[in-house]
Amino acid sequence: MFTYTVRRLLLAIPTLLFISLIIFLLLDLAPGDPTAQLPLTIPPEVREKIRESLGLGQPVYVRYLLWLKQFLVAEPLHVFDTMFGTGFADGMQRVISWQTRSPVADIIAQRMPQTLWVVGLSYVIGTLIALPIGIISAYRQYSWFDQIGALVSMIGYSVPTFFTGVLLIVVFAVNLGWFPSIYDTTHVVDSWDAFVFQVRQMAMPVFVLALYNAAQISRFMRASMLDNLAQDYVRTARAKGMSEKVVVLLHVLRNSMIPVVTVIALGVPTIFGGAIITEQVFKVNGLGQLLITAIYANDIPMVQTLTFIFAVLIVLFNLIADVLYGMLDPRIRYD
Amino acid sequence: MRFRTALLGAVALTALTGAASAERGSDGQVNIIYWQAPSILNPFLSGGTKEVESASLVIEPLVRFDETGEMVPWLAESIPTVENGGVAEDLTKITWTLKEGVLWSDGTPLTAEDAVFTWEYCTHPEGGCAQSSYFDGVSSVVAVDDRTIEVNFAAPKPFPYTAFVGSESPIIQKAQFADCLGAKAPECTEANFAPIGTGPFVVTDFRPNDVVQFAANENFREAGKPAFATVLFKGGGDATAAARSVMETGEFDYAWNLQIDPNVLSSMEAKGLGKVVTAFATSVERIHVNQTDPNPSLGAERATLAHPHPFLTDPTIGQALSMAIDRSLIADVGYGAGGQPTCNVLPAPAAYASTANDGCLVQDIEGAKKLLDDAGWVPGPDGVRVKDGVRLSLTYQTSTNAVRQDTQALVKQWWSEIGVETELRNIDASVFFGGDPGSPDTFQKFYADVEMYTNNFAGVDPEAYMANWRCSEIPSPETQWQGSNMQRFCSEEYDALVDKMSQTANLEERGALAKQMNDMLMQSYSIIPLIHRGNPSAHAVTLEGVRMNDWDSEIWNIKDWSRAK
């Protein structure tokens, strides 16, 4: 297993380099111009100067290699410097966003808490809701609980978040006035009241995303449980006189969790990707909103860095899922 | 009755004086939402409206424009003119005097050196300053003494109020930006995110593309102002959500740029929490009529002067197209309070607005048909008019935007009524306005017969704007498709008027010249103006002092805002 992991990690390096090149070329070849969003009153000569000051005058390969150097050398060194107070990265150019003219990594770090709180929490809550629903739905297949569960997850899965989000805002923020419609990213939780406010402002976005996540995972859980409930070993366990609790929660659940854990692990990178639409609807200015505004503004260094980080996370969590699979299921061995 | 009025007057007076002598920061927090959040607070490095306006709370120019487009001395003591000797007789020099005792928010005095530095900063060849056109023609900026700034021009400048005038040309502090010249400009993140200014507020926290927090500037030159202690300047979401947060939930006090469905906006306003305010400046939604042939079979010479358009160079066709349009309906459907029908490409300021073309305000389908009939264009079997084998068939392109697509559909319908066939195209705004010479879909290349978008000019002087339609401004392969004369209008007579305006200082004569140029363009029908676009914003009914302005930053007078008691 260890050699397998190491081999996969080594293989990931050329894969990621290739991905970064593809992203860079895609962004570069796509039509668009970082000065396109400026007012038309700014004359073309000035626009040309702005483009030059952004480094767009250089050929593609130079810009790609420069980005690689900035991302792989300057940024890690900078992190090292801030942790240990050293000065290795002094004078090294970091990845600079075209919109803000400030280091991309700083902005990402600033955005991370919102995204982790809202999107991460909704993933956790969604999973926690989904597992029991999936288990009960499968155990009592075709019962009213199963039917309602199917209906709710169908709604959660098929109704887009920009609809549920706005609907919630209109009902709970505009008409009832229970929750704020705009997320305050500057809010600091330092007292009980502040905590209550934080819960209130997170309630709606977390609900919308949790519904979506729960819908997906509960279906997986149910399907996997159903597969296992029909297995011979379940009959054997029952025949041996074990209680239903032990049969379902110990034998069946453990075996059913194998594919579900993989699905959950593969979903983790999407947390970091933020929820572009939900963040936009609730004004939770996290990573998703950062990515979408950067795309609109043709802020290539920002888009490139964010998408590459997502690529790294996806490759990493794929590996984690595979390793977890092997650990949960002794029948699977990679070596 | 009279006694009651007098009493009311007295009450109002006390209320007024009460407000005037209010303490700085006594009204708590004002919440502003700009759904496109500022990325940086240094307008020289961005140029976007959101950055210019958010920075206008902090850094200020010598002169601002008020809501009528009139100049108001801001950091300057007065407006220099030829009459008062502030502008040299030969129009090559303007001398500004700073108000006395103005301090930066860090307590140091504002001096003429700061203005000189600002000029150096923005004109540095490697800096990529987005506002450098404000310094066009400036040969030097000299600090005569601490309070006197002399701006010298290389050639006579009839309208010298460009450098350091308006929200896009503010003065930055030399001490803070001294090490940020040229290529180093982007490295000064701290300064770019929290410039030190002379304005009513100082930045306390800046999160790019998310939120800015401001606090009242303790060193602000006007006693008792600003009334608000802090400002929360939030970004993100969309225009509808921003409007909702002011007018339906009351979470915010001011929302910017609410170009949404007029019905939605008015139903929100009916709730009574907020009020929509609109300011009109110079934005005109217009159709440019291509004077050159965009036929793809012409290859590289497509849409260049070498091949005039087969029928659109004839003003009669353009006139018929213009007459067929019901501008009021377009305004009602797409713009509501944010748009008025117009017949001029130069609709404001009042001194420059022509009235010679107002006939277009009334739709005249029959008249348009008659014009085409008389010109020999007869309807073919499919209803599309033909003459000498040429069909009146147009491609009509614009950027992707719900209102523009509605307008396109309406116009297509009217044009089909007069026998003109229209094929509609819409292109993503970042490509359409992107100016990438490699893309065939930019508004400069204009590979279509007609195209529609909005343009305007900054400030109040139309000289540079009217110069957009000189022959030399025509985009072509030789200029890498740069240039602002999109419809490829070319007239020696027009160019002569442009030259004349650049040598005329008298404001009345300039007005007459601008009108003449506008009329010439309108009567060539190479531009069909549609809507004079305003800029709708909304503020809470409890917020007082908003003077909506499209000539400067729309929150230009935030120092005078206060909370209704």
Side-chain angles (χ1 to χ4, degrees):
Chain A
M1 198 64 119
F2 179 72
T3 40
Y4 169 77
T5 315
V6 171
R7 203 171 65 225
R8 280 280 301 265
L9 277 175
L10 286 177
L11 204 67
I13 294 170
T15 317
L16 285 172
L17 279 177
F18 185 68
I19 292 175
S20 76
L21 179 67
I22 295 289
I23 298 174
F24 193 87
L25 290 179
L26 273 178
L27 289 175
D28 193 72
L29 293 174
D33 172 13
T35 64
Q37 278 202 330
L38 296 184
L40 290 176
T41 47
I42 293 180
E45 310 85 68
V46 177
R47 283 167 197 267
E48 191 50 44
K49 282 249 171 71
I50 296 176
R51 279 191 284 265
E52 269 171 35
S53 76
L54 296 174
L56 269 172
Q58 286 160 323
V60 189
Y61 68 92
V62 174
R63 281 183 283 131
Y64 175 65
L65 292 176
L66 197 66
W67 176 83
L68 265 190
K69 183 187 157 211
Q70 288 170 354
F71 186 82
L72 297 177
V73 183
E75 289 296 343
L77 277 180
H78 183 83
V79 173
F80 189 83
D81 282 357
T82 41
M83 282 169 76
F84 301 103
T86 50
F88 294 117
D90 286 352
M92 273 180 135
Q93 175 75 298
R94 300 174 62 191
V95 186
I96 298 283
S97 153
W98 286 350
Q99 288 176 85
T100 69
R101 308 293 181 99
S102 68
V104 167
D106 291 357
I107 303 174
I108 295 177
Q110 197 176 54
R111 293 301 182 95
M112 202 69 100
Q114 278 92 277
T115 293
L116 285 188
W117 268 114
V118 174
V119 188
L121 194 66
S122 67
Y123 199 69
V124 173
I125 292 180
T127 313
L128 289 181
I129 297 173
L131 296 184
I133 291 181
I135 295 167
I136 301 173
S137 295
Y139 189 65
R140 303 211 184 282
Q141 199 186 2
Y142 305 130
S143 67
W144 61 268
F145 185 92
D146 185 25
Q147 309 284 4
I148 291 176
L151 180 75
V152 170
S153 44
M154 197 178 72
I155 292 174
Y157 198 63
S158 55
V159 179
T161 50
F162 60 79
F163 180 77
T164 38
V166 174
L167 191 71
L168 286 188
I169 289 181
V170 169
V171 173
F172 293 104
V174 176
N175 288 327
L176 296 172
W178 292 356
F179 304 117
S181 74
I182 288 172
Y183 190 93
D184 180 2
T185 45
T186 61
H187 184 69
V188 184
V189 180
D190 54 5
S191 64
W192 175 249
D193 287 345
F195 175 75
V196 171
F197 179 81
Q198 178 67 15
V199 171
R200 278 178 54 217
Q201 71 168 350
M202 280 187 2
M204 288 197 294
V206 167
F207 176 81
V208 166
L209 285 171
L211 179 69
Y212 178 78
N213 290 325
Q216 223 180 349
I217 296 169
S218 69
R219 292 281 96 185
F220 275 112
M221 190 70 224
R222 177 180 179 274
S224 169
M225 282 290 283
L226 281 178
D227 279 349
N228 278 287
L229 278 169
Q231 299 278 325
D232 290 343
Y233 75 84
V234 178
R235 200 185 310 128
T236 314
R238 284 194 175 124
K240 283 189 348 201
M242 284 174 178
S243 71
E244 278 300 290
K245 200 176 149 193
V246 173
V247 172
V248 177
L249 293 184
L250 224 64
H251 290 81
V252 181
L253 182 61
R254 267 184 82 174
N255 283 306
S256 323
M257 281 306 278
I258 296 168
V260 177
V261 163
T262 321
V263 169
I264 294 174
L266 287 179
V268 171
T270 58
I271 297 175
F272 292 88
I276 292 179
I277 293 162
T278 315
E279 285 187 0
Q280 193 81 350
V281 169
F282 292 99
K283 277 68 73 180
V284 184
N285 294 332
L287 291 175
Q289 190 260 4
L290 186 66
L291 179 63
I292 196 77
T293 47
I295 290 173
Y296 275 130
N298 280 297
D299 185 354
I300 291 180
M302 178 73 86
V303 179
Q304 165 86 9
T305 308
L306 278 173
T307 37
F308 185 66
I309 292 175
F310 301 155
V312 172
L313 289 171
I314 288 168
V315 170
L316 200 69
F317 276 90
N318 264 303
L319 175 64
I320 292 177
D322 283 351
V323 173
L324 269 181
Y325 209 72
M327 280 159 70
L328 288 173
D329 190 348
R331 286 168 297 182
I332 293 169
R333 279 291 166 264
Y334 299 109
D335 298 319
Chain B
M1 189 67 202
R2 206 173 295 156
F3 179 65
R4 251 180 81 191
T5 324
L7 255 184
L8 274 175
V11 170
L13 248 177
T14 30
L16 269 177
T17 46
S21 64
E23 262 180 68
R24 173 172 296 159
S26 57
D27 282 356
Q29 174 157 299
V30 62
N31 295 325
I32 300 177
I33 184 159
Y34 267 49
W35 53 274
Q36 289 177 356
S39 306
I40 190 167
L41 285 180
N42 180 349
F44 293 126
L45 292 185
S46 157
T49 314
K50 56 201 175 90
E51 282 83 20
V52 169
E53 299 201 347
S54 49
S56 75
L57 269 64
V58 177
I59 46 179
E60 301 176 306
L62 293 174
V63 170
R64 280 202 191 285
F65 298 102
D66 70 5
E67 68 273 28
T68 59
E70 293 294 322
M71 286 189 276
V72 185
W74 214 252
L75 290 176
E77 228 168 33
S78 59
I79 312 278
T81 56
V82 180
E83 288 74 36
N84 68 22
V87 177
E89 285 287 337
D90 62 356
L91 308 176
T92 57
K93 187 166 90 180
I94 180 167
T95 312
W96 298 93
T97 310
L98 290 170
K99 276 184 183 159
E100 210 170 337
V102 179
L103 296 179
W104 292 101
S105 58
D106 62 0
T108 57
L110 166 80
T111 69
E113 284 297 333
D114 292 305
V116 176
F117 174 77
T118 303
W119 168 68
E120 285 169 0
Y121 179 87
C122 191
T123 50
H124 195 286
E126 286 165 26
C129 174
Q131 312 296 356
S132 57
S133 58
Y134 280 86
F135 296 101
D136 278 354
V138 174
S139 59
S140 68
V141 178
V142 182
V144 178
D145 59 47
D146 272 359
R147 282 177 53 214
T148 313
I149 305 160
E150 209 177 80
V151 180
N152 296 301
F153 299 99
K157 186 98 168 171
F159 192 86
Y161 312 106
T162 53
F164 311 122
V165 175
S167 58
E168 289 174 336
S169 192
I171 295 178
I172 53 174
Q173 195 194 33
K174 180 176 180 179
Q176 191 185 20
F177 284 90
D179 295 328
C180 307
L181 279 176
K184 281 199 186 140
E187 289 171 25
C188 297
T189 306
E190 223 166 283
N192 292 335
F193 280 6
I196 292 172
T198 51
F201 291 96
V202 291
V203 186
T204 50
D205 181 23
F206 177 78
R207 302 186 190 183
N209 290 353
D210 179 14
V211 63
V212 198
Q213 286 174 290
F214 299 94
N217 174 5
E218 287 310 320
N219 290 311
F220 189 57
R221 59 188 176 277
E222 288 181 40
K225 288 180 181 179
F228 288 102
T230 52
V231 180
L232 179 78
F233 200 100
K234 171 83 177 175
D238 53 87
T240 316
R244 187 184 295 130
S245 70
V246 170
M247 296 190 286
E248 290 198 313
T249 67
E251 289 162 86
F252 278 75
D253 297 305
Y254 188 91
W256 160 89
N257 194 7
L258 305 178
Q259 256 146 20
I260 52 177
D261 187 332
N263 294 327
V264 175
L265 206 57
S266 46
S267 73
M268 283 184 184
E269 198 177 9
K271 266 209 152 186
L273 283 176
K275 207 168 149 263
V276 176
V277 281
T278 315
F280 288 90
T282 58
S283 294
V284 172
E285 178 87 1
R286 78 291 286 286
I287 294 177
H288 285 256
V289 178
N290 202 340
Q291 303 294 299
T292 60
D293 193 353
N295 193 333
S297 65
L298 297 171
E301 290 192 345
R302 191 179 180 193
T304 62
L305 278 184
H307 302 276
H309 196 278
F311 55 86
L312 287 177
T313 50
D314 178 2
T316 323
I317 308 267
Q319 191 180 355
L321 294 177
S322 172
M323 283 164 84
I325 296 170
D326 183 352
R327 290 165 170 81
S328 313
L329 188 62
I330 297 179
D332 288 346
V333 169
Y335 297 88
Q340 297 163 346
T342 185
C343 294
N344 297 301
V345 74
L346 178 61
Y352 299 100
S354 164
T355 50
N357 315 298
D358 289 353
C360 89
L361 292 175
V362 186
Q363 184 190 31
D364 184 3
I365 298 262
E366 290 313 311
K369 281 184 184 166
K370 188 167 179 304
L371 262 185
L372 293 174
D373 284 337
D374 293 349
W377 292 90
V378 285
D382 56 353
V384 179
R385 287 176 192 265
V386 194
K387 182 182 170 182
D388 306 330
V390 180
R391 275 162 55 89
L392 281 189
S393 173
L394 301 171
T395 14
Y396 178 0
Q397 71 179 18
T398 187
S399 69
T400 308
N401 164 320
V403 175
R404 293 218 162 107
Q405 268 74 74
D406 283 351
T407 309
Q408 273 188 315
L410 285 170
V411 170
K412 178 180 171 147
Q413 171 60 29
W414 291 320
W415 284 354
S416 78
E417 283 175 39
I418 61 165
V420 177
E421 181 184 61
T422 317
E423 185 195 324
L424 303 182
R425 282 188 74 202
N426 65 74
I427 301 155
D428 185 79
S430 68
V431 177
F432 188 59
F433 297 116
D436 175 6
S439 163
D441 294 324
T442 63
F443 70 143
Q444 288 105 334
K445 277 205 176 161
F446 201 171
Y447 286 168
D449 299 298
V450 294
E451 67 181 2
M452 176 172 75
Y453 61 93
T454 287
N455 201 354
N456 68 319
F457 60 93
V460 294
D461 181 62
E463 184 186 321
Y465 182 59
M466 297 315 278
N468 278 346
W469 293 289
R470 295 171 70 111
C471 298
S472 56
E473 284 294 324
I474 293 176
S476 68
E478 291 77 42
T479 63
Q480 278 74 49
W481 298 101
Q482 296 298 319
S484 47
N485 187 347
M486 301 309 166
Q487 80 270 28
R488 288 84 157 123
F489 169 82
C490 187
S491 148
E492 274 175 33
E493 205 186 330
Y494 187 89
D495 285 7
L497 286 176
V498 172
D499 291 338
K500 193 168 168 203
M501 188 163 182
S502 67
Q503 288 145 20
T504 310
N506 182 299
L507 284 178
E508 253 169 59
E509 281 173 47
R510 291 173 72 81
L513 280 169
K515 282 184 196 173
Q516 206 182 339
M517 284 191 268
N518 171 71
D519 294 347
M520 197 182 259
L521 282 170
M522 293 304 96
Q523 280 143 27
S524 78
Y525 290 98
S526 63
I527 296 183
I528 302 176
L530 300 174
I531 302 293
H532 185 191
R533 282 178 61 175
N535 197 2
S537 293
H539 67 83
V541 287
T542 60
L543 186 64
E544 290 184 335
V546 176
R547 278 161 75 192
M548 183 59 183
N549 184 345
D550 210 13
W551 300 104
D552 203 286
S553 162
E554 63 178 69
I555 46 179
W556 65 294
N557 70 334
I558 191 163
K559 66 184 174 69
D560 302 326
W561 290 10
S562 63
R563 180 79 64 196
K565 297 287 178 322

